Each structure stands twice: as structure tokens, then as C-alpha cells.
Amino acid sequence: MKSSTKREGVAARADEAAAVLRSVHPEPPAVAVVLGSGMGSLVDRFTNQTVIPYAKLPHFPTPTVEGHAGNVVFGSVEAARAILFQGRFHYYEGHDLETVTFPIRVLQSLGVRSLILTAATGGIRPDLRPGNIVSLSDHINLIGSNPLRGLNDPRLGERFPDMTEVYSKRLRTLARAEAKRLGLDLIAAVYACLPGPSYETPAEIKMLRALGADVVGMSTAPEAIVARHAGMEVLGLALVTNAAAGVKETPVRHEDVLEAGLRSTPIVGKLIRRMVLRLAGESPGDTGLTGEFATTG
Ligand code: HPA
């Protein structure tokens, strides 16, 4: 494909995938949630589910990572509805950043306004413990590229989008208040985004700490950049699944990351449900379902 048509191609492809979702929900929810490693089972906290496998959506690749199913799930919290991405695409899987962030372009095409990104992270700051949930206040993108690289399609967003407030202050304040009602102190944290897939070395973690990072992960930043380019309000909720390399004596293992994700599902689920209720309450409700996909729950 010629690079001059590449981004236009993204918009068209996103519209095609969105059209399939619209055939299920003619008025899609205004709130979306991307579920990170070990958190896919959070969809079970939503009732009235409609599950659409990524494989049924045009232009969606298949996630290759354990702990990441591949479904779009429409679900409800009381009368509030949300779109959940159960499984995301990572740069380390070999996808380019345009592919990694394709689901965000689909949400843009659907008119989603609020996006909750969740992620498993390693805790760099020594006071962070596995099981802590943090609200991202900012990120440092060290992936080595930018999802907006290439020709800009002005219909999708501006050439040089401002990134002074990637993670919405308003949503952070709301999330903090909702967390407090759950007895949870939602700590603010700066997220360093690395390409992976190897975990960091202790020297790299020292460097990240010196750069001002509190947690480290391998997702989220490209999605957040594209969501801001698209004009969405973004909330980043990260679960600390492990001490980052060298912070403790122990090695960093993917099994532990997944297990910590599973263990913390109830509280993360409660917080996400509350945020969906708050945010969906800010927009007109959506209507019922049509099309071939069955509703359960
Ligand atoms: N480093 C990078 N990504 C991660 C980590 C980590 O320690 N834990 C969970 N995701």
C-alpha cells in the first residue's frame, strides 16, 4: 500500500469494523474499557453481555498472548452500557503501532467519548506493592516509535496533538473519589512504556526511576496517544502486579503478573463498574440489540 493512502486506510478499515459492531448496537455506548493482562475475566462483572470475537470483525488481528482473550464485549452495569475489549494487541507481538491501536480507531468511529485503559505494571516506586491500583497521571513513551507516525488524516485528529493532559484530570478526580468510596486509596503514578517482551534489567529500572517513572509496562501509551488524537477523555488504571526488576530480589515472571491480575480482579472490577456508571450517566443511553449475536446474562 502506498504510504500516502495509509492513514486514510486506517479510517476506512476502522469504519468497516465499527459497522459490524453497529449492526449489533445501532447506538453504541459512549464508554469503553480495554482490559489488560490477567484482567479479561472482568467482563463477568458486566451483565447483559454480547460477545463478538475479534475474528468476526474485519481487520482485527488475533491476540497471541496468554491472558488475553480476543473479544469485544458489550455489557451493562445497571442501565449503563460499555464496550469492553477483552484482549489487546502489543508491539512486542510484532504488530506495528497502527495495528496495536486499531481498536481505539474503531472506538473513535463508533463515537466513544470516554476510554478506560487498564494495564498490568511493575512497581518501580518502592512504596508500591503487588495488588496496588494506581491511576496514571502521565506516561513516558519509550517504545521507540509513535502510533501517529506517518501521514496525518485530519479527519482523525490533528498533526501535532497536545499531550499535556493525556490522562484526564477530571476522570482522575472522579476515579479517586469512586475508589475512596470502595476504601481504596488510588495513588497517582507515571507510567513508563517499554516495548518488551523481555522484562527490564535492574539497571533499566534504575534509569526509569531517575527519569521520573513510578510503574512500567508494555502497553497503554500508544493507545492513550491515539485516543487523545481522537479527542477522547482517557483514564489509565494500572494494577501493580510485581516489583519491577531489581526492586526486590525476586525475578519477574509472567505467571505472577497474570495471577496478581486475577487476585485483584474484584476490586478493579468494582472501580471500573463505578466509573462506567458515572461516565455513562453523562451521555444519552443506548438502545437494544439487533443482528446475529446472542445476548447472555
Ligand atoms: N515490566 C514491564 N511490564 C510489566 C511488568 C514489569 O515488571 N509487570 C507487568 N507488566
mmCIF file of all heavy atoms in Angstrom, residues 1 11 14 38 50 55 76 80 84 102 111 113-114 126-127 135 145 176 207 225 228 246 261-262 264 270 272 279 290:
data_model
loop_
_atom_site.group_PDB
_atom_site.id
_atom_site.type_symbol
_atom_site.label_atom_id
_atom_site.label_comp_id
_atom_site.label_asym_id
_atom_site.label_seq_id
_atom_site.Cartn_x
_atom_site.Cartn_y
_atom_site.Cartn_z
ATOM 1 N N MET A 1 0.838 -1.193 0.000
ATOM 2 C CA MET A 1 0.000 0.000 0.000
ATOM 3 C C MET A 1 0.875 1.246 0.000
ATOM 4 O O MET A 1 1.854 1.322 0.731
ATOM 5 C CB MET A 1 -0.886 -0.028 1.255
ATOM 6 C CG MET A 1 -1.843 1.126 1.322
ATOM 7 S SD MET A 1 -2.796 1.097 2.875
ATOM 8 C CE MET A 1 -3.861 -0.296 2.551
ATOM 9 N N ALA A 11 -8.678 4.780 8.688
ATOM 10 C CA ALA A 11 -10.022 5.299 8.948
ATOM 11 C C ALA A 11 -11.067 4.406 8.279
ATOM 12 O O ALA A 11 -12.080 4.047 8.886
ATOM 13 C CB ALA A 11 -10.134 6.731 8.439
ATOM 14 N N ALA A 14 -11.253 1.054 10.082
ATOM 15 C CA ALA A 14 -11.921 1.204 11.382
ATOM 16 C C ALA A 14 -13.429 1.350 11.173
ATOM 17 O O ALA A 14 -14.221 0.772 11.925
ATOM 18 C CB ALA A 14 -11.363 2.412 12.127
ATOM 19 N N GLY A 38 -4.385 -10.482 32.467
ATOM 20 C CA GLY A 38 -4.958 -11.100 33.661
ATOM 21 C C GLY A 38 -6.295 -10.492 34.054
ATOM 22 O O GLY A 38 -6.899 -10.922 35.034
ATOM 23 N N THR A 50 -23.026 -9.139 25.248
ATOM 24 C CA THR A 50 -22.978 -9.583 23.856
ATOM 25 C C THR A 50 -21.506 -9.727 23.504
ATOM 26 O O THR A 50 -20.753 -8.752 23.632
ATOM 27 C CB THR A 50 -23.589 -8.543 22.905
ATOM 28 O OG1 THR A 50 -24.826 -8.115 23.437
ATOM 29 C CG2 THR A 50 -23.793 -9.130 21.527
ATOM 30 N N ALA A 55 -12.208 -12.268 15.733
ATOM 31 C CA ALA A 55 -12.141 -12.973 14.455
ATOM 32 C C ALA A 55 -13.342 -12.652 13.556
ATOM 33 O O ALA A 55 -13.274 -12.822 12.340
ATOM 34 C CB ALA A 55 -12.063 -14.474 14.705
ATOM 35 N N SER A 76 -23.405 -4.438 30.537
ATOM 36 C CA SER A 76 -24.128 -3.423 31.306
ATOM 37 C C SER A 76 -23.724 -3.430 32.769
ATOM 38 O O SER A 76 -23.417 -4.477 33.335
ATOM 39 C CB SER A 76 -25.641 -3.693 31.283
ATOM 40 O OG SER A 76 -26.114 -3.730 29.973
ATOM 41 N N ALA A 80 -26.346 1.324 32.660
ATOM 42 C CA ALA A 80 -25.222 1.869 31.899
ATOM 43 C C ALA A 80 -24.586 0.783 31.046
ATOM 44 O O ALA A 80 -24.406 -0.344 31.497
ATOM 45 C CB ALA A 80 -24.191 2.447 32.859
ATOM 46 N N LEU A 84 -16.337 -3.372 26.014
ATOM 47 C CA LEU A 84 -15.123 -3.872 26.652
ATOM 48 C C LEU A 84 -14.273 -4.584 25.621
ATOM 49 O O LEU A 84 -14.788 -5.387 24.840
ATOM 50 C CB LEU A 84 -15.499 -4.857 27.764
ATOM 51 C CG LEU A 84 -16.538 -4.332 28.755
ATOM 52 C CD1 LEU A 84 -17.300 -5.471 29.401
ATOM 53 C CD2 LEU A 84 -15.871 -3.490 29.808
ATOM 54 N N PHE A 102 -5.444 -0.062 16.543
ATOM 55 C CA PHE A 102 -6.623 -0.151 15.667
ATOM 56 C C PHE A 102 -7.943 -0.162 16.462
ATOM 57 O O PHE A 102 -8.902 0.533 16.089
ATOM 58 C CB PHE A 102 -6.507 -1.379 14.750
ATOM 59 C CG PHE A 102 -7.645 -1.520 13.800
ATOM 60 C CD1 PHE A 102 -7.823 -0.607 12.770
ATOM 61 C CD2 PHE A 102 -8.568 -2.549 13.936
ATOM 62 C CE1 PHE A 102 -8.887 -0.717 11.882
ATOM 63 C CE2 PHE A 102 -9.641 -2.672 13.062
ATOM 64 C CZ PHE A 102 -9.796 -1.755 12.036
ATOM 65 N N GLY A 111 -17.830 6.669 17.947
ATOM 66 C CA GLY A 111 -18.216 7.871 18.688
ATOM 67 C C GLY A 111 -18.011 7.764 20.190
ATOM 68 O O GLY A 111 -18.596 8.535 20.961
ATOM 69 N N ARG A 113 -16.589 8.374 23.736
ATOM 70 C CA ARG A 113 -16.014 9.616 24.273
ATOM 71 C C ARG A 113 -15.061 9.383 25.439
ATOM 72 O O ARG A 113 -14.138 10.153 25.650
ATOM 73 C CB ARG A 113 -17.139 10.544 24.718
ATOM 74 C CG ARG A 113 -17.883 11.177 23.559
ATOM 75 C CD ARG A 113 -18.587 12.433 24.012
ATOM 76 N NE ARG A 113 -19.550 12.136 25.072
ATOM 77 C CZ ARG A 113 -20.818 11.857 24.848
ATOM 78 N NH1 ARG A 113 -21.281 11.885 23.632
ATOM 79 N NH2 ARG A 113 -21.624 11.585 25.838
ATOM 80 N N SER A 114 -15.348 8.342 26.237
ATOM 81 C CA SER A 114 -14.516 8.104 27.423
ATOM 82 C C SER A 114 -13.892 6.725 27.322
ATOM 83 O O SER A 114 -14.582 5.742 27.048
ATOM 84 C CB SER A 114 -15.352 8.147 28.694
ATOM 85 O OG SER A 114 -16.145 9.292 28.722
ATOM 86 N N PRO A 126 9.368 2.378 45.406
ATOM 87 C CA PRO A 126 9.496 1.332 46.427
ATOM 88 C C PRO A 126 8.257 1.164 47.303
ATOM 89 O O PRO A 126 8.040 0.085 47.857
ATOM 90 C CB PRO A 126 10.700 1.778 47.267
ATOM 91 C CG PRO A 126 11.145 3.085 46.738
ATOM 92 C CD PRO A 126 10.389 3.421 45.510
ATOM 93 N N ASP A 127 7.419 2.201 47.410
ATOM 94 C CA ASP A 127 6.223 2.048 48.259
ATOM 95 C C ASP A 127 5.110 1.284 47.548
ATOM 96 O O ASP A 127 4.111 0.930 48.170
ATOM 97 C CB ASP A 127 5.713 3.438 48.697
ATOM 98 C CG ASP A 127 5.313 4.303 47.509
ATOM 99 O OD1 ASP A 127 6.160 4.490 46.606
ATOM 100 O OD2 ASP A 127 4.170 4.781 47.464
ATOM 101 N N SER A 135 -3.584 5.231 39.441
ATOM 102 C CA SER A 135 -4.205 5.975 38.362
ATOM 103 C C SER A 135 -3.078 6.687 37.623
ATOM 104 O O SER A 135 -2.278 7.392 38.233
ATOM 105 C CB SER A 135 -5.188 6.971 38.990
ATOM 106 O OG SER A 135 -5.526 7.952 38.068
ATOM 107 N N SER A 145 8.775 4.413 19.039
ATOM 108 C CA SER A 145 8.040 4.957 17.909
ATOM 109 C C SER A 145 6.781 5.623 18.440
ATOM 110 O O SER A 145 6.571 5.678 19.653
ATOM 111 C CB SER A 145 7.700 3.859 16.894
ATOM 112 O OG SER A 145 7.131 4.440 15.733
ATOM 113 N N ARG A 176 -10.645 8.763 41.698
ATOM 114 C CA ARG A 176 -10.133 8.816 43.068
ATOM 115 C C ARG A 176 -11.286 8.841 44.069
ATOM 116 O O ARG A 176 -11.259 8.156 45.089
ATOM 117 C CB ARG A 176 -9.246 10.059 43.222
ATOM 118 C CG ARG A 176 -8.326 9.934 44.361
ATOM 119 C CD ARG A 176 -7.400 11.096 44.564
ATOM 120 N NE ARG A 176 -6.969 11.012 45.951
ATOM 121 C CZ ARG A 176 -5.816 10.527 46.339
ATOM 122 N NH1 ARG A 176 -4.948 10.158 45.466
ATOM 123 N NH2 ARG A 176 -5.525 10.429 47.616
ATOM 124 N N MET A 207 17.261 3.454 35.757
ATOM 125 C CA MET A 207 17.180 4.557 34.787
ATOM 126 C C MET A 207 15.753 5.115 34.755
ATOM 127 O O MET A 207 15.555 6.329 34.783
ATOM 128 C CB MET A 207 17.580 4.051 33.398
ATOM 129 C CG MET A 207 17.339 5.059 32.295
ATOM 130 S SD MET A 207 17.502 4.353 30.646
ATOM 131 C CE MET A 207 15.966 3.449 30.486
ATOM 132 N N ILE A 225 -2.212 7.693 23.347
ATOM 133 C CA ILE A 225 -1.848 8.737 22.374
ATOM 134 C C ILE A 225 -2.914 8.813 21.268
ATOM 135 O O ILE A 225 -3.393 9.891 20.903
ATOM 136 C CB ILE A 225 -0.447 8.462 21.773
ATOM 137 C CG1 ILE A 225 0.630 8.672 22.844
ATOM 138 C CG2 ILE A 225 -0.183 9.342 20.550
ATOM 139 C CD1 ILE A 225 2.023 8.165 22.450
ATOM 140 N N ARG A 228 -6.182 10.271 22.531
ATOM 141 C CA ARG A 228 -6.121 11.732 22.657
ATOM 142 C C ARG A 228 -6.170 12.383 21.271
ATOM 143 O O ARG A 228 -6.830 13.404 21.090
ATOM 144 C CB ARG A 228 -4.851 12.168 23.397
ATOM 145 C CG ARG A 228 -4.838 11.807 24.853
ATOM 146 C CD ARG A 228 -6.024 12.410 25.615
ATOM 147 N NE ARG A 228 -6.022 13.857 25.571
ATOM 148 C CZ ARG A 228 -7.101 14.623 25.378
ATOM 149 N NH1 ARG A 228 -8.297 14.077 25.208
ATOM 150 N NH2 ARG A 228 -6.990 15.925 25.346
ATOM 151 N N GLY A 246 14.826 -5.848 40.118
ATOM 152 C CA GLY A 246 15.854 -5.264 40.986
ATOM 153 C C GLY A 246 15.298 -4.540 42.198
ATOM 154 O O GLY A 246 16.040 -4.222 43.130
ATOM 155 N N GLY A 261 -3.057 -10.240 38.589
ATOM 156 C CA GLY A 261 -4.193 -9.660 37.872
ATOM 157 C C GLY A 261 -5.483 -10.324 38.322
ATOM 158 O O GLY A 261 -6.462 -9.668 38.654
ATOM 159 N N LEU A 262 -5.466 -11.639 38.372
ATOM 160 C CA LEU A 262 -6.664 -12.397 38.753
ATOM 161 C C LEU A 262 -7.059 -12.098 40.194
ATOM 162 O O LEU A 262 -8.231 -11.915 40.506
ATOM 163 C CB LEU A 262 -6.400 -13.904 38.602
ATOM 164 C CG LEU A 262 -6.416 -14.418 37.163
ATOM 165 C CD1 LEU A 262 -6.065 -15.909 37.131
ATOM 166 C CD2 LEU A 262 -7.796 -14.183 36.529
ATOM 167 N N SER A 264 -6.619 -9.487 41.934
ATOM 168 C CA SER A 264 -7.121 -8.128 42.171
ATOM 169 C C SER A 264 -8.365 -7.821 41.355
ATOM 170 O O SER A 264 -8.865 -6.700 41.397
ATOM 171 C CB SER A 264 -6.032 -7.116 41.829
ATOM 172 O OG SER A 264 -4.916 -7.359 42.622
ATOM 173 N N LYS A 270 -14.847 -3.575 40.620
ATOM 174 C CA LYS A 270 -15.769 -2.656 41.305
ATOM 175 C C LYS A 270 -15.504 -1.215 40.874
ATOM 176 O O LYS A 270 -16.442 -0.459 40.618
ATOM 177 C CB LYS A 270 -15.591 -2.775 42.824
ATOM 178 C CG LYS A 270 -16.345 -3.947 43.405
ATOM 179 C CD LYS A 270 -16.255 -3.957 44.915
ATOM 180 C CE LYS A 270 -16.856 -5.258 45.423
ATOM 181 N NZ LYS A 270 -16.369 -5.616 46.740
ATOM 182 N N ILE A 272 -14.057 -0.146 38.107
ATOM 183 C CA ILE A 272 -14.436 0.064 36.702
ATOM 184 C C ILE A 272 -15.957 0.176 36.568
ATOM 185 O O ILE A 272 -16.464 1.045 35.861
ATOM 186 C CB ILE A 272 -13.864 -1.059 35.814
ATOM 187 C CG1 ILE A 272 -12.343 -0.891 35.721
ATOM 188 C CG2 ILE A 272 -14.480 -1.032 34.420
ATOM 189 C CD1 ILE A 272 -11.645 -1.969 34.965
ATOM 190 N N LEU A 279 -19.691 7.588 34.117
ATOM 191 C CA LEU A 279 -19.422 8.172 32.796
ATOM 192 C C LEU A 279 -20.584 7.953 31.840
ATOM 193 O O LEU A 279 -20.922 8.842 31.059
ATOM 194 C CB LEU A 279 -18.133 7.595 32.217
ATOM 195 C CG LEU A 279 -16.886 7.918 33.040
ATOM 196 C CD1 LEU A 279 -15.658 7.245 32.443
ATOM 197 C CD2 LEU A 279 -16.667 9.419 33.102
ATOM 198 N N THR A 290 -29.561 -5.588 17.905
ATOM 199 C CA THR A 290 -30.085 -6.185 16.695
ATOM 200 C C THR A 290 -29.020 -7.126 16.165
ATOM 201 O O THR A 290 -27.906 -7.134 16.662
ATOM 202 C CB THR A 290 -30.365 -5.120 15.614
ATOM 203 O OG1 THR A 290 -29.149 -4.442 15.344
ATOM 204 C CG2 THR A 290 -31.422 -4.134 16.058
#
